[in-house]
Amino acid sequence: MSEAPVTRDPDPPAGKSARTRAALRDVALQHFVEHGFDRASVPAIAAQCGVTERTFYRHFATKDEVLFGDLTTRLEWFRRALRERPADEELLESVRHSLGSAPIDLRLMVEIARLRSELLSPERIERVFRDRQGAMAREVREVLVERGVDELVAAVRAEVLAGAVFAALGVWTEGPGPHDVAALGRLTAEALEQVRGAL
């Protein structure tokens, strides 16, 4: 396995907790590259950052979470952005604009995607993507119901949209490198266009 340099987040959020999380993530990514994902040691990662193993687990529930930090489980950023879109805006446009508000350094996102595809099995990646897809569908469904859409109709539309977004992410992740954020944007736009008729 090549020992490619890990891209660091140039402007980690302010605050001691955020700085600790960013440092743990950076060191963990480096350990994954140097030792492989399964052999990377949480105690060694924590020690290199000058914190305890318990502190690591306060920031990341598992090592996997380090490699999926760009896809937070609850997707608060997505929910907030979607709710801020005009209620009369076409749903596809609302989702597309909301996806653009993801709070992650794009270079870090590309590096994490590369490491995911190199270090984790496709099955492991798919399990997490399915979980995040479900979280996104829940957010879309809630917004649609708040806008007066029937529960079943809202549920179907939400699943279709989230499925399209994560289908694009899966194809991008599994594709040959280098991973390019612009390519992910194009794939996502194409996937959303393909489901327009179902909405």
Side-chain angles (χ1 to χ4, degrees), residues 1-196:
M1 181 180 322
S2 66
E3 293 191 7
V6 173
T7 304
R8 304 208 185 279
D9 192 351
D11 296 308
K16 182 179 178 186
S17 179
R19 285 192 305 272
T20 299
R21 181 180 171 87
L24 284 165
R25 183 198 58 228
D26 290 346
V27 169
L29 293 175
Q30 191 64 47
H31 274 246
F32 297 163
V33 169
E34 292 172 5
H35 306 288
F37 181 78
D38 290 325
R39 291 193 335 259
S41 160
V42 170
I45 293 165
Q48 188 172 335
C49 290
V51 298
T52 64
E53 185 177 352
R54 184 175 178 181
T55 299
F56 177 92
Y57 286 116
R58 256 190 257 133
H59 290 280
F60 301 100
T62 64
K63 287 193 301 186
D64 286 37
E65 194 174 304
V66 175
L67 289 178
F68 293 98
D70 55 332
L71 301 168
T72 57
T73 305
R74 291 187 46 82
L75 297 170
E76 290 92 353
W77 59 268
F78 180 75
R79 175 193 302 145
R80 189 170 39 257
L82 191 58
R83 282 196 162 90
E84 290 173 359
R85 302 304 305 168
D88 61 346
E89 182 175 57
E90 181 185 29
L91 185 58
L92 277 175
E93 288 307 309
S94 293
V95 168
R96 193 181 326 230
H97 285 285
S98 298
L99 289 171
S101 70
I104 180 109
D105 177 89
L106 296 179
R107 290 173 297 170
L108 180 63
M109 180 180 173
V110 168
E111 183 64 17
I112 288 174
R114 181 186 68 77
L115 289 173
R116 273 196 301 248
S117 63
E118 288 179 7
L119 301 175
L120 302 179
S121 70
E123 295 78 20
R124 198 174 203 168
I125 294 169
E126 185 177 352
R127 268 195 315 273
V128 175
F129 279 8
R130 292 288 177 222
D131 176 65
R132 301 318 196 260
Q133 179 179 330
M136 179 174 280
R138 281 189 298 278
E139 301 301 345
V140 173
R141 180 180 179 177
E142 285 177 17
V143 167
L144 287 173
V145 169
E146 287 170 9
R147 292 179 181 179
V149 176
D150 174 78
E151 284 275 350
L152 180 60
V153 172
V156 170
R157 287 181 182 171
E159 291 294 338
V160 167
L161 282 165
V165 169
F166 277 85
L169 182 59
V171 167
W172 181 74
T173 298
E174 294 165 10
H179 290 94
D180 172 309
V181 175
L184 175 58
R186 287 190 300 275
L187 284 170
T188 303
E190 288 175 31
L192 289 171
E193 282 304 316
Q194 287 185 32
V195 300
R196 182 181 293 278

